[in-house]
Amino acid sequence: MDGLKEIIGDVALREPIKCVDMHTTGEPTRIIYSGYPNLTGTLLEQRAQALTEYDHIRKRLMFEPRGHWDMYGAILRPDTELVASGKADMGVLFTHNEGYSTMCGHATIALGRFLVDADESIFPRGKKLRYDKDISSFHLSLHVPSGPLEVTVPALPNGKSDPSRPVSFLSVPSFATGVSVKIPLSPEYRWPELGDRTFITADFSYGGAFYCIVDAEELGFSGRLADVELGKMDHASKQLKAAVNANPDLSFCTKHPITKEMSYLYSIMIVDTSLRAGHGSEENDTSGLDHAGEETGLCFFANQQIDRSPTGGAVAARVALAYNQGKLSVGQRRTYHSLLSQRTGMGGFTGSVIEALPSSSEQPHVRVRVEGSAHYTGMFTAVVEEKDGLGRTGFALHQLEGCQR
């Protein structure tokens, strides 16, 4: 801000918001740590208030000209009910192109590093973090809208985060809600690759948000994820999501047993269990856990936003689904790739079942450990110049009337 004043002089700049940008396997996290308006109440109440009163700020920070359609953000919330009770060290609200997520694994991985590195003015409880000398790591609890996440951040001797080792978090209780569910597709919800089929079969699982998990070949794509036509898969996933949301008979697939705010379909995760990175992910595995292979996924979430990372919440959901199906046991881990990590051999997440939890449901609940790496990309102060009408709320070019991408 001060540097900008030196360049442009006495021009009126308003509403400065300070941000740090990071990426987790290429998926951005814009961490908003100063300048966001005050929010009150529980974290879910703060989420609702952000939507009703300050959504223009979300658009300003996520959309053009400061961001783009696939930008992702995290708003630090130091005052939540779990922070007040000592059950969490920091709260956070997650933002995307449509609104506010209930869970985000890639952002949690980035936030782990950022919070360990942040000074006391940003993270008042930072000096009280638990340090585990046996693994040279800090432990912190992050309060996200779906519940608390236990985050482990490797540290250097100087007390800062270690970028050479992965951050991990323990998921909220995760569980499958529908296995091999038949989804009828009336004419308005079909896509060309289906041919004359009138239904598809998919699975549903929860990892802090609800995911519909479907094989690429089941959608009609014979090349699966080895030969991706993003535009066509975007259309198919959008149609499938609309079909699920319009069918009351499928509401059980996205019904959270406790919290109504979680009960909606967040994402379509298109998977290919045959596609591996081929870079020897298992060779560098020092966890001591039994490795149970690899798979690749393409995640469309929110308003058809594409995740560059393997999607941490979906890793928890997919591990819970595999456990439900008897394909993954406690103590086994699996590597999950996005298109980016599969093509480059860099940045795959690993997921493992840490424990089976007691549950009154017929479906088993598990706690999942998700591991991945995040890195800093920059920092900036977002401002609004007094006469800048476009920059105040931001825009998405392809959403303007008569524009399509």
Side-chain angles (χ1 to χ4, degrees):
M1 183 74 170
D2 292 337
L4 187 58
K5 282 284 190 183
E6 290 176 9
I7 296 171
I8 65 176
D10 215 12
V11 174
L13 300 176
R14 298 179 175 179
E15 303 179 52
I17 298 176
K18 295 182 179 181
C19 312
V20 164
D21 280 4
M22 300 183 71
H23 83 91
T24 311
T25 316
E27 179 68 6
T29 302
R30 177 158 288 169
I31 300 171
I32 297 104
Y33 68 87
S34 177
Y36 191 87
N38 186 44
L39 301 173
T40 59
T42 67
L43 188 60
L44 287 178
E45 289 169 344
Q46 291 182 41
R47 180 172 175 261
Q49 185 182 5
L51 176 62
T52 57
E53 297 181 26
Y54 302 113
D55 202 45
H56 62 285
I57 296 179
R58 173 187 66 84
K59 295 174 182 176
R60 180 189 308 168
L61 296 174
M62 295 298 101
F63 290 164
E64 302 171 65
R66 301 174 187 85
H68 51 83
W69 186 245
D70 293 319
M71 178 57 80
Y72 200 92
I75 306 166
L76 294 187
R77 301 306 314 143
D79 300 311
T80 77
E81 68 274 26
L82 293 189
V83 174
S85 67
K87 296 179 180 177
D89 299 299
M90 175 64 78
V92 63
L93 294 176
F94 299 123
T95 70
H96 49 59
N97 66 12
E98 189 176 44
Y100 303 83
S101 306
T102 58
M103 167 62 193
C104 183
H106 90 270
T108 293
I109 290 167
L111 283 163
R113 282 199 65 200
F114 175 75
L115 291 173
V116 165
D117 295 339
D119 63 32
E120 196 170 0
S121 67
I122 296 172
F123 186 25
R125 297 176 63 90
K127 298 297 183 183
K128 299 178 181 179
L129 292 183
R130 305 171 297 286
Y131 182 73
D132 187 336
K133 64 180 181 180
D134 292 333
I135 57 173
S136 302
S137 298
F138 286 102
H139 297 290
L140 63 98
S141 179
L142 186 67
H143 184 190
V144 309
S146 56
L149 304 174
E150 297 302 316
V151 187
T152 300
V153 184
L156 296 167
N158 64 3
K160 297 298 184 179
S161 66
D162 182 353
S164 69
R165 293 187 286 155
V167 174
S168 66
F169 67 87
L170 295 184
S171 71
V172 296
S174 301
F175 48 92
T177 53
V179 178
S180 297
V181 177
K182 184 177 178 179
I183 302 173
L185 297 166
S186 53
E188 67 269 29
Y189 297 118
R190 294 176 198 158
W191 53 93
E193 290 73 21
L194 275 177
D196 58 1
R197 294 167 59 204
T198 59
F199 71 92
I200 61 120
T201 301
D203 303 310
F204 291 83
S205 194
Y206 177 82
F210 282 101
Y211 297 84
C212 173
I213 302 164
V214 59
D215 192 279
E217 198 167 33
E218 180 68 13
L219 295 178
F221 296 95
S222 58
R224 308 183 83 176
L225 293 182
D227 183 18
V228 179
E229 295 184 79
L230 283 176
K232 292 181 179 180
M233 286 195 172
D234 175 89
H235 178 64
S237 64
K238 185 175 182 178
Q239 292 293 92
L240 176 57
K241 190 175 185 180
V244 172
N245 286 332
N247 191 335
D249 292 337
L250 297 176
S251 62
F252 73 93
C253 295
T254 56
K255 183 177 181 180
H256 193 276
I258 300 173
T259 311
K260 182 177 66 174
E261 286 89 346
M262 310 298 154
S263 298
Y264 67 97
L265 180 58
Y266 178 58
S267 166
I268 302 294
M269 170 59 81
I270 304 172
V271 299
D272 185 341
T273 57
S274 68
L275 193 59
R276 293 163 172 77
H279 289 267
S281 311
E282 301 172 39
E283 295 176 7
N284 299 318
D285 182 5
T286 59
S287 68
L289 296 176
D290 178 23
H291 198 281
E294 303 180 18
E295 63 181 61
T296 299
L298 171 59
C299 180
F300 290 92
F301 70 96
N303 190 355
Q304 295 306 107
Q305 193 162 331
I306 297 177
D307 199 336
R308 275 68 174 164
S309 84
T311 312
V315 168
R318 291 155 79 186
V319 167
L321 175 64
Y323 180 83
N324 180 292
Q325 296 171 317
K327 298 178 180 179
L328 204 61
S329 303
V330 174
Q332 287 187 306
R333 74 201 310 251
R334 180 173 291 172
T335 299
Y336 294 87
H337 288 292
S338 64
L339 293 182
L340 182 62
S341 69
Q342 188 275 327
R343 266 53 167 187
T344 63
M346 296 183 289
F349 289 2
T350 59
S352 52
V353 182
I354 297 304
E355 62 174 331
L357 302 170
S359 171
S360 57
S361 167
E362 295 180 3
Q363 306 296 345
H365 287 46
V366 295
R367 189 87 64 183
V368 178
R369 175 179 286 126
V370 180
E371 292 182 332
S373 296
H375 301 278
Y376 292 96
T377 57
M379 60 188 302
F380 80 111
T381 301
V383 296
V384 178
E385 193 173 359
E386 185 175 9
K387 301 298 183 181
D388 183 8
L390 281 175
R392 176 170 167 74
T393 58
F395 62 91
L397 183 65
H398 75 276
Q399 286 203 314
L400 299 179
E401 185 178 355
C403 297
Q404 295 182 6
R405 61 170 186 171

